[in-house]
Structure formats: structure tokens, C-alpha cells
Amino acid sequence: MTTPAVHAPRIPEAVHRRRWAILGVLMLSLLIVVLDNSILNVAIKTISTPAPTGLGATQSEIEWAINSYTLVFAGLLFTAGLIGDRLGRKKVLLGGLVVFGVGSALAAESGSPGQLIAYRAFMALGAAFVMPATLAVLMNVFEREEQPKAIGIWAGGVGLAIAIGPITGGALLDHFWWGSVFLINVPIVILALALMVWLVPDSRDPKPGRLDPVGVVLSVVGLVLLVYGIIKGGELADFTDAKVLATIAAGVVVLAGFVIFEKRSDHPSLDVSYFKNKVFSAAMSAIALVFFALMGVTFFSVFYTQSVRGYSPLQSGLLMLPLAAAQMIFAPRARLVVDRFGNKATTTAGLILIAAMLGVFATFETDTPIWFLEVVFFLMGTGMAHIMTPTSVVIMQALPREKAGSASALSNTFRQVGGALGIAVLGSVLATAYRSGIEDKLGLLPPGLRDTAGESIEATLGVAAKLGPQGNALIGPANDAFLHAMHVTALCGTVIALVGAVVTALFLPGKPPARQEGNQEQELVAAAD
């Protein structure tokens, strides 16, 4: 009807012609941000190995190496999106990539777990400016009717990074020291910077919002306190400890203060009014819950494949290929499933599939056929692809186009916070269950060694190696205790994924009648305005 009149003048012809090349550059920028986490997942075991092979990091330090990045990333995404809207998305993309590259070089030379945690947080400062800007630029170089396809390909880029990351990390760890998994980011950053200067146009919000430093501080402090308390509880295997309870409670209070402050602010970094839209809220919840479950699984699956099953980092990375392959295959095509069955059925089915696969994880033993693990990973990737694409489209199209940076930041914040809480909560469940399972087998060790050996399966195996032949008696009990802990953790993840399925089944829209399909996008925009 009026489509040509609405769309024709919006995007310059020169930009429109090179839109797919621009998407390629944006995916390269996204690649390094996601690549870093997927590479680190394979390196967890190596970094937890004592020097000179690794840094001798404890399980809680490993969790912080992951979560320091995630929490800074999540906490700054709101502000990064607003700064991109104000200064120009291309400028913040370039600046974010430079900071990320410098942080990667520093992380590669870390001399202790504490330094690694700090440099990972610095890397996150750069990544926070890259992630929302990529999706915001995408929304400004593609016409609305092409956006679902472009977002699907963009989401498939995440799958590509998940595939490349573990394999690259495994190959590097087979030939170089552990820091090489961070140093590999530097040449990719240089290539992305050169292509971005050449191809990517700048864009900004004509009416950008004011910055919200108080909100940023409250959100970061609240999340850090909450996650610290959860991880500490797992480390002590005691969630009733006074310090643990006080830290968690303080985190909850600060986050509640953040929500109240944002609700009353005339320039909030998190516009609480968005969540009055049940569809928007359900899509956000689905993203957070699926990453809560999946990040926790990725964390313990590395120890299962490397510590229990004895695979090398490269072999462990190759085992993750089916999960990544499924995302690359299905993420760009998920919109076709949505067109046929609607958002509700597609997303809910994806969450149920992930819940089922997490339940299967609870049956794995030391001799489970490895092809069975591959099938499970492939189906998990399939489920994830049919969650991320439809929910990303719902979120990005529920807000006006000029707020693309804010919508992208909000989506990625919920994903990162969900992932951070998944690692913290499920990692703590894993640590608590492992300690309770191995404790009575460590009675003959000196008290100091007993505490160290009970922290994780890697710690137990490290102590066993130092004891020589006497330590061999600890290997079997360590594997048994870990498998029990993994089963408990997987079942917790199953429950979380099922909660997400209930939320999406109740609140996401179903397939509209044929006569309404043409008007659905206009209705979303009207509702947002």
C-alpha cells in the first residue's frame, strides 16, 4: 500500500547497495566479542592448572574470570547504547574495538588470576560499546522487511563464533601457552577496524537520551554483590553463612534501589515502562533464562570432557562443533518457522528442547558414547537458534527505529546477566554438590590440602598428581563426585529452561490470522510509540 513512500527515502542508495558487506563487517566485530568467551571456555581447565602450564586458578577465580567480563559488559551496555546514539555508532564501535584489543593483549600476559580477572573486566569495557552498536547499525542499514533476515544472519554469526572459538582455542593450547587464546583477538581487531573505517556508515539518534551515571553504578554494584555472594556460597558449600547471606541481600537491595531510581528518573538508562508490554517482557525473560541454563552447562561440560573423559582442549573444542553448526544452520532459517507457526510456538518449543537436552545431561557417565553427547549438543544448538532469532526480532521491532541502540543494549544486557547468573548459580550448585560428594574421601589428607582438594575436580586431580602413586586412589572418587554434581546441576538447568517455556507460552504472541499478518509490524510500532 504505502510501503514505497515510507521506506524509499530512509536509507541512502549508496548504503543500501553495500548493506550485506556492512553486515559482514558487523559480524566480524561481533565475532571477536563472542569468540573470546567461547575460547575461554576451552581454556578453563588449562588456566586452572598450576604454573607454569596455567595460573593455578581456583574454580571461584575461574568463575570470576568469566563473570568480571560479563558483569562489566552487562552493566555498561545501557550507557554504551546511549553514547552510541549520541556520538555516533561508528565512532563507539571503533573505540570499543581498540579498547578490546588492548585488553586482550594485556590479558594474554597476566601473571596471576587476579590480573586476568582485572584485564578481562577491561576487555568488557570495550566489548560493551561493540555489541549494541553492531545491531543498532544493522537496524539503520536494512529496510524493515529485510531486518528479520539480517538479524537471523547476525544471530548465525554467534553460532559461527561458538564454532570457531573452541576449535581455535584448542589448537592454540595444543601448540602455545594459555595466553595465546587472548592474543589471537588482536589481529582480528585490526582487520575489523580497517574494514569498518572503509565500509560502515555512521548513524545516531536525532534525540538521544541523557546519560545516567547513577543508574549505571547502582546496576553494576548490585549485580557484583549478588553474583559475589552466590559464588562465595558455592565456594564455601554453605549458603547459610552470614557473609554470604549479607552479600546476596545487599545485592538484591541495591538492584531494587536501581529499579526504583530508574522508574523515577526523567532520563533512565533502563526505561522500566518498556516492560509494561508483556510480549517485550516475555522475550527478554526467554533470552535471560536460556543463557542462564546454557552458560552453566558450557561451564561444567568442559570439565566433563577434559577432566573426566580425558579429551585434549582441541578435541574438547571439536566436540562443541554440533552445537555451533546447529545455530549456523537454523538461526537464519528460524524466521521461516516463525512465519509458519508464530513466535509463541517456535520459542516455547526451543526452550522445551533445551530443557529436555539438559535432562539428558543428567544421565551421562564416564562411558557414555561420545556420539550421544554430539547429538545432545546439536539439539541444544537447534533449540537455541529457534529462541534467539524470534526473540531478537520481537525486541528490536517493539521499539522505534531510532532507539535501536537502547533495544540492542537491553537485549544483550539480559542475555549477559542471565549468563552471569547461570555461571554463578549453576557453578555454585556444581561446587557445593562436588564438595559434599568428595569430602568424606579426603579424610586422610592434611587439613590444608583437604580444603584445596575439595574446591573442584581439577583441584582434587592436582593434589592427586602431587601425591604420586598414593594419589591415584582419589581419581575414581573425584570422577564419581563430579558426575553426581553435574547431574544435579543439569537438572537445575532443566527447571530454569522449563520456567522460560512457561513464560513464553503464556505471553508471547501466537500466529496471527492471515488477514492480520500484513499489519502486525505496524501494530508493534504503534504500540511502542
Side-chain angles (χ1 to χ4, degrees):
M1 300 183 296
T2 57
T3 302
V6 173
H7 290 303
R10 202 187 63 77
I11 297 175
E13 180 59 29
V15 173
H16 183 72
R17 280 200 307 268
R18 65 178 192 266
R19 65 195 185 284
W20 297 110
I22 292 169
L23 178 60
V25 178
L26 296 177
M27 287 176 64
L28 183 63
S29 306
L30 174 72
L31 184 75
I32 59 167
V33 175
V34 179
L35 186 76
D36 180 70
N37 269 336
S38 58
I39 280 184
L40 182 60
N41 286 334
V42 174
I44 285 171
K45 181 181 182 295
T46 306
I47 293 172
S48 64
T49 304
T53 304
L55 292 175
T58 64
Q59 181 165 313
S60 62
E61 286 170 336
I62 288 292
E63 289 179 38
W64 274 113
I66 297 171
N67 281 337
S68 64
Y69 180 94
T70 303
L71 292 173
V72 172
F73 188 28
L76 294 177
L77 276 171
F78 294 129
T79 298
L82 285 171
I83 291 174
D85 290 344
R86 178 184 291 266
L87 300 181
R89 283 90 183 223
K90 181 176 181 176
K91 294 184 184 70
V92 300
L93 260 174
L94 293 170
L97 283 171
V98 169
V99 171
F100 186 86
V102 172
S104 297
L106 291 171
E109 298 299 327
S110 299
S112 68
Q115 286 184 8
L116 178 60
I117 291 167
Y119 291 141
R120 288 272 298 161
F122 184 69
M123 290 170 67
L125 175 64
F129 286 87
V130 173
M131 180 71 90
T134 60
L135 201 48
V137 171
L138 181 155
M139 297 298 286
N140 279 275
V141 299
F142 283 91
E143 298 289 359
R144 192 171 184 87
E145 61 271 11
E146 282 190 321
Q147 286 172 9
K149 181 179 180 181
I151 290 173
I153 295 170
W154 180 88
V158 176
L160 181 64
I162 292 172
I164 294 173
I167 296 167
T168 306
L172 289 169
L173 291 170
D174 272 5
H175 296 92
F176 305 102
W177 95 115
W178 64 266
S180 61
V181 302
F182 297 108
L183 202 58
I184 192 66
N185 291 334
V186 177
I188 303 175
V189 165
I190 293 170
L191 176 61
L193 285 170
L195 291 173
M196 196 169 294
V197 169
W198 178 35
L199 285 171
V200 176
D202 207 353
S203 64
R204 65 183 73 197
D205 186 343
K207 297 178 182 177
R210 288 162 56 196
L211 300 183
D212 178 26
V214 175
V216 171
V217 171
L218 286 174
S219 65
V220 173
V221 170
L223 284 169
V224 169
L225 285 171
L226 178 62
V227 170
Y228 178 81
I230 294 168
I231 291 176
K232 194 67 179 174
E235 188 181 333
L236 298 174
D238 181 11
F239 283 90
T240 62
D241 181 86
K243 289 182 181 177
V244 171
L245 290 174
T247 308
I248 292 174
V252 171
V253 169
V254 173
L255 288 174
F258 165 69
V259 172
I260 293 169
F261 179 83
E262 296 299 284
K263 198 170 183 179
R264 295 178 177 177
S265 174
D266 59 356
H267 58 285
S269 55
L270 170 61
D271 192 337
V272 182
S273 66
Y274 293 159
F275 293 91
K276 292 178 181 176
N277 182 328
K278 290 180 181 179
V279 172
F280 183 84
S281 298
M284 285 293 190
S285 300
I287 284 178
L289 291 171
V290 74
F291 270 85
F292 183 105
L294 281 172
M295 289 297 284
V297 170
T298 305
F299 186 76
F300 68 64
S301 67
V302 171
F303 289 103
Y304 172 69
T305 56
Q306 293 186 37
S307 299
V308 177
R309 301 299 295 264
Y311 288 99
S312 71
L314 177 56
Q315 290 170 327
S316 182
L318 289 169
L319 289 174
M320 296 290 288
L321 258 181
L323 187 146
Q327 286 196 62
M328 286 190 289
I329 292 167
F330 294 112
R333 295 170 175 80
R335 63 192 174 84
L336 303 176
V337 182
V338 172
D339 289 344
R340 178 155 187 184
F341 299 105
N343 278 303
K344 183 197 294 278
T346 305
T347 308
T348 303
L351 280 159
I352 290 172
L353 181 58
I354 285 178
M357 292 306 101
L358 287 169
V360 173
F361 246 107
T363 68
F364 283 2
E365 301 292 344
T366 53
D367 58 352
T368 300
I370 207 64
W371 64 262
F372 195 43
L373 174 65
E374 299 294 83
V375 171
V376 168
F377 275 149
F378 184 82
L379 292 174
M380 287 180 76
T382 302
M384 192 173 176
H386 289 90
I387 297 164
M388 292 306 299
T389 299
T391 53
S392 295
V393 172
V394 166
I395 290 163
M396 295 304 291
Q397 293 191 344
L399 299 182
R401 190 187 303 275
E402 62 272 14
K403 301 298 180 186
S406 300
S408 173
L410 204 53
S411 169
N412 283 295
T413 297
F414 269 66
R415 185 171 74 178
Q416 295 298 325
V417 169
L421 290 175
I423 291 169
V425 173
L426 297 183
S428 294
V429 170
L430 185 73
T432 303
Y434 180 78
R435 186 181 284 272
S436 65
I438 196 69
E439 223 160 19
D440 60 344
K441 308 294 191 302
L442 304 175
L444 298 178
L445 296 176
L449 273 183
R450 197 181 309 156
D451 288 341
T452 301
E455 286 181 355
S456 67
I457 185 171
E458 271 310 301
T460 308
L461 295 178
V463 168
K466 288 179 183 176
L467 294 175
Q470 287 179 299
N472 290 340
L474 288 176
I475 296 175
N479 287 341
D480 292 341
F482 178 82
L483 286 170
H484 168 70
M486 184 179 81
H487 295 164
V488 172
T489 308
L491 290 174
C492 289
T494 300
V495 172
I496 296 298
L498 287 174
V499 169
V502 171
V503 170
T504 56
L506 289 175
F507 298 114
L508 280 190
K511 188 174 186 296
R515 60 186 174 81
Q516 293 180 6
E517 286 180 356
N519 299 321
Q520 189 179 26
E521 288 183 358
Q522 291 91 327
E523 289 168 4
L524 275 171
V525 175
D529 292 338

